[in-house]
Amino acid sequence: MPGLFIKRHALSVSEHVDISVIYVHADDHLDNDYETVQDLEEGLITIRVYFKKAKGIFGPIRNGFRYLKAQSKAFKLLLERSSMPDLIHVHVLTRNALYAYWHLIKNKIPYVITEHWTRYLPENNGFKGSFRKLITKEIVKKSSAVLPVTYNLANAMQNHSLKNDNYKIIPNVVDTERFISAIGKKENKKKRIIHISCFTDQQKNISGILHTLHDLSKNRTDFKMIFIGEGEDLEHMKELCSALQLDHIVEFKGLLEDDYLVQEVQKADLQVLFSNYENLPVVILEGFACGVPIISTDTGGIKEHIYDFNGSLVSIADSNAFKSKIEEFLDGRHTYNPDMIRVYAVKKFSNSAIGKALYEIYLKDIEE
């Protein structure tokens, strides 16, 4: 769900400060050049401005100007409902930060940056373009703080010469009051394994999971595999599942949200990821909040939160090691501690923990 991570950050710190949210996005289907939507969502003033996406050879240039104009419209609407902000919190570079940079120059309003994007990682190599890099370096340099979700991402950004003296790690937020451990003992006759993703096989390597399941199924069927999510490769993965004759042990649930997602995570005995590159997927953290361990590839910042009590790591694309770790779990040779997993999630990723960390950063940057 676009913007969900940002909303969770905003809600976590809203206990300490007044937060308003501006969201700007292109829309191919608008009748007018701009449309605005204003709401009060869970106590947050939320202003969305959509602009009509231009096409043709000059489309990218026109869309750039429309984006900035949409941000200006949103800010003016915000000032009609609230006062001038003391600080601007930007999520995801680069163009999202242009208006914040302008306000720093014009109005001396400081800004901080949270980054989630994998484009800086060498496995992705998506941070390209001389002009983009030049602008991004300047924006990062003038930021009061840069807040990647993992140390791994922070290092990757700095390897691209995105320098700032105030890098701090602030992970994504989990609603630990909604994602809670299942009540009572799980009664699964077969071990229930889940995978949750956006079904982009290039990144998530879902085909690798299916081939591993195929190898496992040659000798055992004491597990049930549940895939949750939707995306560009979902239908192809369903076809591959059938071709590998896995329909008897695999189920595709599609996109699940809210309590439907929580219930599936609570029922799981194990979560698996076999990604080629990641930062720190929030689905891992949501699983932790429900006491569910993870077996994952060692990519991005995942290893920063994996210990013997909550998960296991294998090398990228190492299907033999991946299979072996799943077998160890199914055989009971490697057990995890659901209570410790849950405690760790609340301590590290809850609204309370992240909200307090953000508030302390806000205070310091505003005072300076």
Side-chain angles (χ1 to χ4, degrees), residues 45-229:
I45 295 175
T46 305
I47 299 173
R48 293 179 172 86
V49 179
Y50 301 94
F51 64 92
K52 191 171 185 178
K53 191 173 183 178
K55 300 179 181 179
I57 189 171
F58 297 109
I61 297 175
R62 293 171 65 193
N63 288 330
F65 281 109
R66 287 182 179 181
Y67 180 86
L68 292 175
K69 186 174 180 179
Q71 279 201 330
S72 179
K73 285 178 176 287
F75 199 82
K76 289 177 180 177
L77 290 171
L78 174 62
L79 292 183
E80 292 176 4
R81 302 181 61 172
S82 182
S83 59
M84 184 71 75
D86 297 302
L87 179 139
I88 298 174
H89 189 159
V90 177
H91 279 255
V92 186
L93 294 165
T94 299
R95 68 177 185 174
N96 290 343
L98 290 173
Y99 205 63
Y101 180 82
W102 182 81
H103 273 290
L104 174 68
I105 302 302
K106 181 184 178 184
N107 299 316
K108 308 300 181 186
I109 301 174
Y111 63 89
V112 300
I113 300 166
T114 285
E115 187 57 280
H116 319 251
W117 208 346
T118 59
R119 67 175 177 174
Y120 308 99
L121 303 180
E123 300 91 342
N124 185 330
N125 193 30
F127 184 50
K128 298 179 179 180
S130 298
F131 183 69
R132 177 189 292 274
K133 289 183 176 181
L134 180 66
I135 295 297
T136 305
K137 287 178 184 178
E138 175 64 13
I139 288 172
V140 169
K141 179 181 177 181
K142 292 295 177 63
S143 174
S144 295
V146 183
L147 315 174
V149 295
T150 65
Y151 288 100
N152 180 75
L153 181 57
N155 291 334
M157 293 177 70
Q158 292 176 87
N159 287 338
H160 283 286
S161 298
L162 299 178
K163 303 300 183 182
N164 188 290
D165 293 333
N166 195 24
Y167 269 83
K168 295 183 181 297
I169 308 307
I170 303 291
N172 284 315
V173 183
V174 175
D175 186 349
T176 55
E177 294 182 4
R178 167 173 278 182
F179 286 89
I180 60 176
S181 301
I183 299 174
K185 186 178 180 180
K186 296 177 183 178
E187 300 296 337
N188 298 328
K189 294 181 180 179
K190 296 184 176 182
K191 292 294 185 182
R192 197 172 180 90
I193 306 173
I194 60 168
H195 170 85
I196 308 170
S197 78
C198 59
F199 278 82
T200 301
D201 194 45
Q202 179 185 9
Q203 177 184 358
K204 302 297 183 179
N205 195 15
I206 303 156
S207 58
I209 296 176
L210 288 171
H211 282 290
T212 300
L213 295 176
H214 175 67
D215 288 341
L216 279 169
S217 68
K218 293 176 182 177
N219 299 310
R220 66 195 308 164
T221 58
D222 56 341
F223 64 92
K224 181 75 173 179
M225 183 73 216
I226 308 296
F227 286 95
I228 300 171

Side-chain angles (χ1 to χ4, degrees), residues 191 220 326-335:
K191 292 294 185 182
R220 66 195 308 164
I326 296 174
E327 286 179 321
E328 286 179 9
F329 173 78
L330 293 175
D331 292 339
R333 288 181 282 129
H334 191 154
T335 58

